[in-house]
mmCIF file of all heavy atoms in Angstrom:
data_model
loop_
_atom_site.group_PDB
_atom_site.id
_atom_site.type_symbol
_atom_site.label_atom_id
_atom_site.label_comp_id
_atom_site.label_asym_id
_atom_site.label_seq_id
_atom_site.Cartn_x
_atom_site.Cartn_y
_atom_site.Cartn_z
ATOM 1 N N ILE I 1 -5.686 10.747 1.125
ATOM 2 C CA ILE I 1 -5.988 12.053 0.537
ATOM 3 C C ILE I 1 -5.804 12.017 -0.975
ATOM 4 O O ILE I 1 -6.562 12.628 -1.731
ATOM 5 C CB ILE I 1 -5.101 13.150 1.163
ATOM 6 C CG1 ILE I 1 -5.484 13.368 2.632
ATOM 7 C CG2 ILE I 1 -5.214 14.467 0.399
ATOM 8 C CD1 ILE I 1 -4.535 14.267 3.391
ATOM 9 N N ALA I 2 -4.777 11.284 -1.425
ATOM 10 C CA ALA I 2 -4.472 11.196 -2.856
ATOM 11 C C ALA I 2 -5.369 10.200 -3.590
ATOM 12 O O ALA I 2 -5.214 10.016 -4.800
ATOM 13 C CB ALA I 2 -3.011 10.816 -3.060
ATOM 14 N N GLY I 3 -6.286 9.541 -2.879
ATOM 15 C CA GLY I 3 -7.238 8.661 -3.540
ATOM 16 C C GLY I 3 -6.872 7.190 -3.554
ATOM 17 O O GLY I 3 -7.496 6.410 -4.280
ATOM 18 N N TYR I 4 -5.862 6.792 -2.783
ATOM 19 C CA TYR I 4 -5.479 5.386 -2.694
ATOM 20 C C TYR I 4 -6.109 4.730 -1.463
ATOM 21 O O TYR I 4 -6.615 5.410 -0.567
ATOM 22 C CB TYR I 4 -3.957 5.252 -2.593
ATOM 23 C CG TYR I 4 -3.206 5.735 -3.809
ATOM 24 C CD1 TYR I 4 -2.494 6.939 -3.786
ATOM 25 C CD2 TYR I 4 -3.189 4.991 -4.987
ATOM 26 C CE1 TYR I 4 -1.793 7.382 -4.902
ATOM 27 C CE2 TYR I 4 -2.496 5.423 -6.110
ATOM 28 C CZ TYR I 4 -1.797 6.624 -6.052
ATOM 29 O OH TYR I 4 -1.117 7.059 -7.159
ATOM 30 N N VAL I 5 -6.054 3.394 -1.424
ATOM 31 C CA VAL I 5 -6.505 2.635 -0.260
ATOM 32 C C VAL I 5 -5.272 2.002 0.388
ATOM 33 O O VAL I 5 -4.769 0.981 -0.101
ATOM 34 C CB VAL I 5 -7.516 1.543 -0.649
ATOM 35 C CG1 VAL I 5 -7.932 0.741 0.587
ATOM 36 C CG2 VAL I 5 -8.735 2.156 -1.333
ATOM 37 N N PRO I 6 -4.733 2.603 1.463
ATOM 38 C CA PRO I 6 -3.536 2.037 2.096
ATOM 39 C C PRO I 6 -3.889 0.906 3.058
ATOM 40 O O PRO I 6 -4.917 0.951 3.743
ATOM 41 C CB PRO I 6 -2.961 3.240 2.855
ATOM 42 C CG PRO I 6 -4.151 4.071 3.193
ATOM 43 C CD PRO I 6 -5.140 3.879 2.057
ATOM 44 N N VAL I 7 -3.028 -0.105 3.093
ATOM 45 C CA VAL I 7 -3.190 -1.216 4.032
ATOM 46 C C VAL I 7 -1.897 -1.306 4.835
ATOM 47 O O VAL I 7 -0.860 -1.720 4.304
ATOM 48 C CB VAL I 7 -3.467 -2.543 3.297
ATOM 49 C CG1 VAL I 7 -3.628 -3.689 4.294
ATOM 50 C CG2 VAL I 7 -4.715 -2.412 2.408
ATOM 51 N N PRO I 8 -1.916 -0.902 6.124
ATOM 52 C CA PRO I 8 -0.676 -0.794 6.893
ATOM 53 C C PRO I 8 -0.247 -2.095 7.562
ATOM 54 O O PRO I 8 -1.081 -2.895 7.997
ATOM 55 C CB PRO I 8 -1.039 0.252 7.959
ATOM 56 C CG PRO I 8 -2.511 0.075 8.170
ATOM 57 C CD PRO I 8 -3.075 -0.342 6.838
ATOM 58 N N PHE I 9 1.075 -2.279 7.641
ATOM 59 C CA PHE I 9 1.691 -3.361 8.408
ATOM 60 C C PHE I 9 2.909 -2.806 9.128
ATOM 61 O O PHE I 9 3.558 -1.867 8.647
ATOM 62 C CB PHE I 9 2.096 -4.528 7.498
ATOM 63 C CG PHE I 9 0.943 -5.342 6.998
ATOM 64 C CD1 PHE I 9 0.315 -5.006 5.809
ATOM 65 C CD2 PHE I 9 0.462 -6.411 7.735
ATOM 66 C CE1 PHE I 9 -0.775 -5.722 5.343
ATOM 67 C CE2 PHE I 9 -0.632 -7.143 7.277
ATOM 68 C CZ PHE I 9 -1.246 -6.798 6.082
ATOM 69 N N PHE I 10 3.215 -3.399 10.277
ATOM 70 C CA PHE I 10 4.305 -2.902 11.122
ATOM 71 C C PHE I 10 5.370 -3.966 11.387
ATOM 72 O O PHE I 10 6.392 -3.675 11.979
ATOM 73 C CB PHE I 10 3.734 -2.407 12.465
ATOM 74 C CG PHE I 10 2.669 -1.360 12.314
ATOM 75 C CD1 PHE I 10 1.338 -1.716 12.162
ATOM 76 C CD2 PHE I 10 3.002 -0.014 12.302
ATOM 77 C CE1 PHE I 10 0.350 -0.740 12.019
ATOM 78 C CE2 PHE I 10 2.032 0.964 12.153
ATOM 79 C CZ PHE I 10 0.704 0.601 12.007
ATOM 80 N N ASP I 11 5.131 -5.184 10.951
ATOM 81 C CA ASP I 11 6.004 -6.318 11.249
ATOM 82 C C ASP I 11 6.182 -7.171 9.998
ATOM 83 O O ASP I 11 5.201 -7.485 9.314
ATOM 84 C CB ASP I 11 5.384 -7.137 12.385
ATOM 85 C CG ASP I 11 6.205 -8.361 12.718
ATOM 86 O OD1 ASP I 11 5.998 -9.414 12.083
ATOM 87 O OD2 ASP I 11 7.071 -8.264 13.606
ATOM 88 N N GLY I 12 7.425 -7.567 9.709
ATOM 89 C CA GLY I 12 7.703 -8.329 8.517
ATOM 90 C C GLY I 12 7.058 -9.706 8.493
ATOM 91 O O GLY I 12 6.569 -10.154 7.447
ATOM 92 N N GLU I 13 7.050 -10.383 9.621
ATOM 93 C CA GLU I 13 6.450 -11.719 9.680
ATOM 94 C C GLU I 13 4.946 -11.653 9.477
ATOM 95 O O GLU I 13 4.362 -12.470 8.748
ATOM 96 C CB GLU I 13 6.769 -12.378 11.024
ATOM 97 C CG GLU I 13 8.219 -12.791 11.212
ATOM 98 C CD GLU I 13 8.618 -13.965 10.325
ATOM 99 O OE1 GLU I 13 7.730 -14.589 9.692
ATOM 100 O OE2 GLU I 13 9.821 -14.259 10.254
ATOM 101 N N GLU I 14 4.307 -10.692 10.117
ATOM 102 C CA GLU I 14 2.864 -10.519 9.954
ATOM 103 C C GLU I 14 2.520 -10.208 8.497
ATOM 104 O O GLU I 14 1.566 -10.743 7.932
ATOM 105 C CB GLU I 14 2.367 -9.392 10.860
ATOM 106 C CG GLU I 14 0.874 -9.118 10.730
ATOM 107 C CD GLU I 14 0.447 -7.859 11.470
ATOM 108 O OE1 GLU I 14 1.320 -7.134 11.979
ATOM 109 O OE2 GLU I 14 -0.778 -7.600 11.500
ATOM 110 N N PHE I 15 3.330 -9.354 7.910
ATOM 111 C CA PHE I 15 3.141 -8.997 6.510
ATOM 112 C C PHE I 15 3.266 -10.235 5.625
ATOM 113 O O PHE I 15 2.458 -10.459 4.719
ATOM 114 C CB PHE I 15 4.192 -7.954 6.119
ATOM 115 C CG PHE I 15 4.153 -7.541 4.677
ATOM 116 C CD1 PHE I 15 3.338 -6.508 4.252
ATOM 117 C CD2 PHE I 15 4.948 -8.182 3.739
ATOM 118 C CE1 PHE I 15 3.301 -6.121 2.919
ATOM 119 C CE2 PHE I 15 4.929 -7.802 2.411
ATOM 120 C CZ PHE I 15 4.102 -6.775 2.006
ATOM 121 N N SER I 16 4.266 -11.058 5.863
ATOM 122 C CA SER I 16 4.504 -12.259 5.069
ATOM 123 C C SER I 16 3.336 -13.229 5.162
ATOM 124 O O SER I 16 2.906 -13.805 4.163
ATOM 125 C CB SER I 16 5.794 -12.936 5.524
ATOM 126 O OG SER I 16 6.054 -14.096 4.770
ATOM 127 N N ARG I 17 2.808 -13.404 6.371
ATOM 128 C CA ARG I 17 1.663 -14.304 6.553
ATOM 129 C C ARG I 17 0.441 -13.790 5.789
ATOM 130 O O ARG I 17 -0.282 -14.567 5.155
ATOM 131 C CB ARG I 17 1.334 -14.448 8.043
ATOM 132 C CG ARG I 17 2.359 -15.257 8.835
ATOM 133 C CD ARG I 17 1.811 -15.635 10.200
ATOM 134 N NE ARG I 17 1.565 -14.460 11.024
ATOM 135 C CZ ARG I 17 2.480 -13.905 11.827
ATOM 136 N NH1 ARG I 17 3.698 -14.424 11.908
ATOM 137 N NH2 ARG I 17 2.176 -12.858 12.565
ATOM 138 N N HIS I 18 0.227 -12.491 5.858
ATOM 139 C CA HIS I 18 -0.910 -11.898 5.150
ATOM 140 C C HIS I 18 -0.777 -12.096 3.642
ATOM 141 O O HIS I 18 -1.758 -12.400 2.952
ATOM 142 C CB HIS I 18 -0.987 -10.393 5.474
ATOM 143 C CG HIS I 18 -2.025 -9.651 4.692
ATOM 144 N ND1 HIS I 18 -3.361 -9.618 5.069
ATOM 145 C CD2 HIS I 18 -1.943 -8.921 3.540
ATOM 146 C CE1 HIS I 18 -4.046 -8.902 4.191
ATOM 147 N NE2 HIS I 18 -3.214 -8.466 3.257
ATOM 148 N N LEU I 19 0.435 -11.935 3.138
ATOM 149 C CA LEU I 19 0.671 -11.997 1.700
ATOM 150 C C LEU I 19 0.389 -13.378 1.126
ATOM 151 O O LEU I 19 0.037 -13.513 -0.047
ATOM 152 C CB LEU I 19 2.111 -11.578 1.408
ATOM 153 C CG LEU I 19 2.450 -11.141 -0.024
ATOM 154 C CD1 LEU I 19 1.604 -9.948 -0.428
ATOM 155 C CD2 LEU I 19 3.935 -10.805 -0.119
ATOM 156 N N LYS I 20 0.524 -14.412 1.928
ATOM 157 C CA LYS I 20 0.277 -15.765 1.447
ATOM 158 C C LYS I 20 -1.178 -15.980 1.051
ATOM 159 O O LYS I 20 -1.496 -16.832 0.212
ATOM 160 C CB LYS I 20 0.680 -16.785 2.512
ATOM 161 C CG LYS I 20 2.188 -16.867 2.735
ATOM 162 C CD LYS I 20 2.522 -17.819 3.861
ATOM 163 C CE LYS I 20 4.033 -17.870 4.091
ATOM 164 N NZ LYS I 20 4.402 -18.739 5.232
ATOM 165 N N GLU I 21 -2.074 -15.190 1.653
ATOM 166 C CA GLU I 21 -3.506 -15.350 1.390
ATOM 167 C C GLU I 21 -4.114 -14.185 0.613
ATOM 168 O O GLU I 21 -5.239 -14.289 0.122
ATOM 169 C CB GLU I 21 -4.259 -15.506 2.729
ATOM 170 C CG GLU I 21 -3.773 -16.646 3.596
ATOM 171 C CD GLU I 21 -4.029 -18.005 2.954
ATOM 172 O OE1 GLU I 21 -4.987 -18.107 2.156
ATOM 173 O OE2 GLU I 21 -3.277 -18.956 3.246
ATOM 174 N N ASN I 22 -3.378 -13.066 0.512
ATOM 175 C CA ASN I 22 -3.939 -11.857 -0.088
ATOM 176 C C ASN I 22 -2.944 -11.261 -1.080
ATOM 177 O O ASN I 22 -1.904 -10.739 -0.676
ATOM 178 C CB ASN I 22 -4.266 -10.826 0.997
ATOM 179 C CG ASN I 22 -5.266 -11.345 2.014
ATOM 180 O OD1 ASN I 22 -6.468 -11.251 1.824
ATOM 181 N ND2 ASN I 22 -4.756 -11.926 3.101
ATOM 182 N N HIS I 23 -3.275 -11.354 -2.366
ATOM 183 C CA HIS I 23 -2.368 -10.874 -3.411
ATOM 184 C C HIS I 23 -2.929 -9.679 -4.173
ATOM 185 O O HIS I 23 -2.276 -9.173 -5.079
ATOM 186 C CB HIS I 23 -2.084 -11.990 -4.435
ATOM 187 C CG HIS I 23 -1.505 -13.216 -3.816
ATOM 188 N ND1 HIS I 23 -1.516 -14.427 -4.473
ATOM 189 C CD2 HIS I 23 -0.912 -13.430 -2.624
ATOM 190 C CE1 HIS I 23 -0.945 -15.349 -3.696
ATOM 191 N NE2 HIS I 23 -0.576 -14.759 -2.574
ATOM 192 N N ASN I 24 -4.130 -9.238 -3.822
ATOM 193 C CA ASN I 24 -4.817 -8.231 -4.625
ATOM 194 C C ASN I 24 -4.376 -6.812 -4.247
ATOM 195 O O ASN I 24 -5.131 -6.032 -3.656
ATOM 196 C CB ASN I 24 -6.333 -8.379 -4.458
ATOM 197 C CG ASN I 24 -7.109 -7.480 -5.398
ATOM 198 O OD1 ASN I 24 -6.623 -7.135 -6.479
ATOM 199 N ND2 ASN I 24 -8.312 -7.086 -4.994
ATOM 200 N N TYR I 25 -3.133 -6.506 -4.573
ATOM 201 C CA TYR I 25 -2.588 -5.175 -4.301
ATOM 202 C C TYR I 25 -1.885 -4.659 -5.554
ATOM 203 O O TYR I 25 -1.377 -5.424 -6.370
ATOM 204 C CB TYR I 25 -1.606 -5.223 -3.125
ATOM 205 C CG TYR I 25 -2.276 -5.583 -1.817
ATOM 206 C CD1 TYR I 25 -2.203 -6.884 -1.318
ATOM 207 C CD2 TYR I 25 -2.982 -4.637 -1.090
ATOM 208 C CE1 TYR I 25 -2.827 -7.222 -0.130
ATOM 209 C CE2 TYR I 25 -3.598 -4.968 0.102
ATOM 210 C CZ TYR I 25 -3.524 -6.261 0.577
ATOM 211 O OH TYR I 25 -4.138 -6.593 1.757
#
């Protein structure tokens, strides 16, 4: 609603794996 693009994660390990390949935040 505020005009941002949220990318949700629910698990720390999954988040960590994603971060290794995706830094554009």
Side-chain angles (χ1 to χ4, degrees):
I1 292 171
Y4 296 106
V5 178
V7 180
F9 287 90
F10 304 88
D11 178 273
E13 289 290 350
E14 179 189 6
F15 177 88
S16 180
R17 289 194 296 271
H18 174 83
L19 199 59
K20 291 176 181 177
E21 303 295 333
N22 301 273
H23 302 162
N24 187 28
Y25 294 100

